[in-house]
């Protein structure tokens, strides 16, 4: 007769791995079932012709409290991006950088602001919008909510700072241009960008779930890869997980992407948003700027582009560079239009860059419309708990917090 585990966790993404670690540390017998051949869920990194390609452009912000609780950020060897943007409008290119983080860019930032990018009314509107998030984040999280566009309209942030900088920048973060996303969430995520220095691990974004898996195994959890669960069946005081190798446990945490919830739990799938990332390899010569570039005229499908290897040299083989270009998946993008826009943003040499891969990710992020949800219930029944960023906020922090809440529920602490 097969063993009965205390807890089976379905899914070895960030939420499932975090829950498994906490439960194993508390002395529970934990088994994690992952359908894929590697941990990580949406946080995956592939090696292609010597390049490191994440599954879409992703960053990790060390300001996430949940990240610091889960891992030592030093173990990830994070390479931070500059805190700022390079805004391209026609033949002009302007810089807006964090003055305290990059004092050497202050003259260029002042010049960019005076170029017409930052109108006085926009400054007032931006302060009215973001200041509450900087000084009283709890009041934003628990106060009234609206869409981001409605919030910007209300505070008078309607000029070029919004249209040419904030909208394209946040579109790549939210997988939405702001017309349908919670203003409270967008404000809080912008706060973390202002206070932190997001970056990527030197070995790719998959370094985070790999480290979480190491911690889970060290705590005593078993992780079975290429082991899908076909169904969840309650049988008295047990839960049977169907599949090629059935597993039985006293409780189960379903920590899968939201699209799999109906099949495993009967819960409805949450609405999702899609992103598309194009990866290009260059020769030894590459655009000099390490700043994230946005097209201030929105003259094409790309919302942002960056030379990854300026920040994390290991993303490209010696003598070459890696460029990422991200689009909203809902916008039609073909290679011709992408290359034409890249040529405007980076220069004509983009026409000869090698296309390494295109990532179409229709389920990149759960949608988060207003009002911003707070702590969706994790326990569905006496023996079934659910976890994932679709239960919290669409972010790495949301996934980790959800895993913590799921573990607390099993342990009777929440």
């Amino acid at each position: 007769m097969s063993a009965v585990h205390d807890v089976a966790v379905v899914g070895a993404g960030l939420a499932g791995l975090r829950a498994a670690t906490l439960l194993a540390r508390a002395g529970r017998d934990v088994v994690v079932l992952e359908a894929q051949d590697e941990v990580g869920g949406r946080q995956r990194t592939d090696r292609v012709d010597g390049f490191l390609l994440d599954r879409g452009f992703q960053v990790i912000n060390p300001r996430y409290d949940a990240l610091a609780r889960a891992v030592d950020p030093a173990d990830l060897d994070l390479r931070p991006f500059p805190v700022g943007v390079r805004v391209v409008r026609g033949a002009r290119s302007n810089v807006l950088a964090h003055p305290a983080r990059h004092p050497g860019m202050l003259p260029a930032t002042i010049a960019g602001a005076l170029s017409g990018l930052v109108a006085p009314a926009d400054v007032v509107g931006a302060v009215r919008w973001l200041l509450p998030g900087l000084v009283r984040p709890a009041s934003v999280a628990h106060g009234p909510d609206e869409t981001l566009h409605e919030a910007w309209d209300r505070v008078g942030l309607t000029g070029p700072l919004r249209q040419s900088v904030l909208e394209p920048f946040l579109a790549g973060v939210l997988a939405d241009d702001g017309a349908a996303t919670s203003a409270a969430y967008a404000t809080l995520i912008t706060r973390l960008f202002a206070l932190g220095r997001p970056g990527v691990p030197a070995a790719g974004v998959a370094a985070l779930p790999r480290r979480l898996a190491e911690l889970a195994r060290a705590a005593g959890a078993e992780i079975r890869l290429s082991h899908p669960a076909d169904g969840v069946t309650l049988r008295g005081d047990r839960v049977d997980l169907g599949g090629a190798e059935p597993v039985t446990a006293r409780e189960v945490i379903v920590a899968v992407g939201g699209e799999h919830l109906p099949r495993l739990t009967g819960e409805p799938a949450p609405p999702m948003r899609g992103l598309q990332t194009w990866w290009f390899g260059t020769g030894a010569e590459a655009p000099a700027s390490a700043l994230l570039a946005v097209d201030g005229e929105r003259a094409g499908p790309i919302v942002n582009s960056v030379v990854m290897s300026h920040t994390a040299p290991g993303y490209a083989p010696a003598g070459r560079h890696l460029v990422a270009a991200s689009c909203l998946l809902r916008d039609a993008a073909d290679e011709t239009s992408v290359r034409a826009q890249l040529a405007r943003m980076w220069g004509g040499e983009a026409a000869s860059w090698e296309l390494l891969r295109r990532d179409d990710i229709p389920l990149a992020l759960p949608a988060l419309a207003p009002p911003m949800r707070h702590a969706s219930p994790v326990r569905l029944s006496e023996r079934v708990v659910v976890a994932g960023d679709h239960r919290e906020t669409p972010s790495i922090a949301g996934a980790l917090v959800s895993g913590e809440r799921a573990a607390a529920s099993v342990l009777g602490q929440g």
Side-chain angles (χ1 to χ4, degrees), residues 1-392:
M1 182 176 179
S2 61
V4 178
H5 300 277
D6 291 330
V7 185
V9 179
V10 182
L14 305 187
L17 292 171
R18 180 63 173 144
T21 300
L22 294 171
L23 291 169
R25 286 175 179 170
R28 299 297 197 272
D29 170 23
V30 181
V31 59
V32 181
L33 309 180
E34 171 54 50
Q36 303 300 314
D37 60 358
E38 187 178 355
V39 301
R42 296 194 297 272
Q43 278 70 45
R44 296 283 295 264
T45 303
D46 303 312
R47 184 171 290 277
V48 177
D49 296 336
F51 293 89
L52 295 181
L53 307 186
D54 296 329
R55 300 286 178 90
F57 175 55
Q58 304 185 53
V59 298
I60 295 174
N61 195 331
R63 287 287 304 195
Y64 288 144
D65 292 339
L67 180 70
R69 292 195 299 267
V71 301
D72 182 347
D75 292 342
L76 302 179
D77 194 11
L78 284 177
R79 305 301 173 94
F81 289 99
V83 184
V85 293
R86 175 177 164 268
V87 185
V88 180
R89 294 178 296 164
R92 293 181 297 170
S93 173
N94 299 112
V95 167
L96 293 178
H98 195 305
R101 300 291 176 81
H102 306 291
M105 295 186 190
L106 184 57
T109 296
I110 293 173
L114 296 176
S115 71
L117 268 180
V118 185
D122 277 354
V123 174
V124 174
V127 170
R128 292 180 63 196
W129 165 57
L130 190 55
L131 188 60
L134 292 173
V135 299
R136 298 190 310 275
S139 70
V140 174
H142 299 288
D145 201 3
E146 57 197 328
T147 69
L148 182 56
H149 279 189
E150 289 170 340
W152 282 341
D153 289 343
R154 178 172 49 79
V155 300
L157 181 52
T158 58
L161 179 61
R162 166 180 170 172
Q163 297 163 3
S164 296
V165 182
L166 292 173
E167 282 188 0
F169 172 74
L170 287 173
V173 176
L174 305 171
D176 174 59
D177 62 7
T181 293
S182 158
Y185 175 65
T187 303
L188 294 174
I189 203 75
T190 304
R191 170 184 182 270
L192 293 177
F193 275 100
L195 297 178
R197 285 203 63 180
V200 291
V205 74
L208 174 56
R210 288 170 185 163
R211 180 57 182 153
L212 291 172
E214 290 173 355
L215 294 171
R217 290 186 175 107
E222 178 187 358
I223 300 176
R224 301 181 187 177
L225 300 177
S226 301
H227 194 128
D230 294 340
V232 175
T233 304
L234 302 181
R235 299 190 187 280
D237 61 351
R238 301 287 189 268
V239 182
D240 291 340
L241 302 176
E245 299 178 32
V247 170
T248 301
R250 294 179 177 85
E251 292 186 79
V252 61
I253 296 177
V254 179
V256 296
E259 68 275 15
H260 299 298
L261 285 179
R263 175 174 60 86
L264 293 174
T265 69
E267 287 280 290
M272 302 289 288
R273 296 205 172 104
L275 288 168
Q276 180 185 73
T277 299
W278 298 71
W279 300 100
F280 293 91
T282 81
E285 297 298 324
S289 177
L291 288 164
L292 187 79
V294 298
D295 186 340
E297 296 181 332
R298 309 295 294 275
I302 297 173
V303 294
N304 64 56
S305 180
V306 67
V307 183
M308 298 289 296
S309 45
H310 281 334
T311 291
Y315 268 64
R320 302 196 68 183
H321 286 279
L322 176 66
V323 179
S326 294
C327 313
L328 299 182
L329 189 58
R330 72 183 188 205
D331 297 335
D334 56 61
E335 185 175 347
T336 299
S337 62
V338 166
R339 285 189 184 274
Q341 191 176 7
L342 284 174
R344 291 192 297 271
M345 296 174 72
W346 292 116
E349 63 271 17
S352 63
W353 291 345
E354 178 189 359
L355 176 59
L356 299 167
R357 192 173 75 183
R358 187 189 81 190
D359 288 330
D360 291 341
I361 310 171
L363 306 173
L365 291 171
L368 184 50
M372 185 173 76
R373 60 176 171 265
H374 297 285
S376 298
V378 296
R379 184 167 288 281
L380 300 184
S381 68
E382 183 182 359
R383 304 199 178 278
V384 179
V385 173
V386 66
D389 61 354
H390 46 81
R391 312 300 288 186
E392 291 283 341

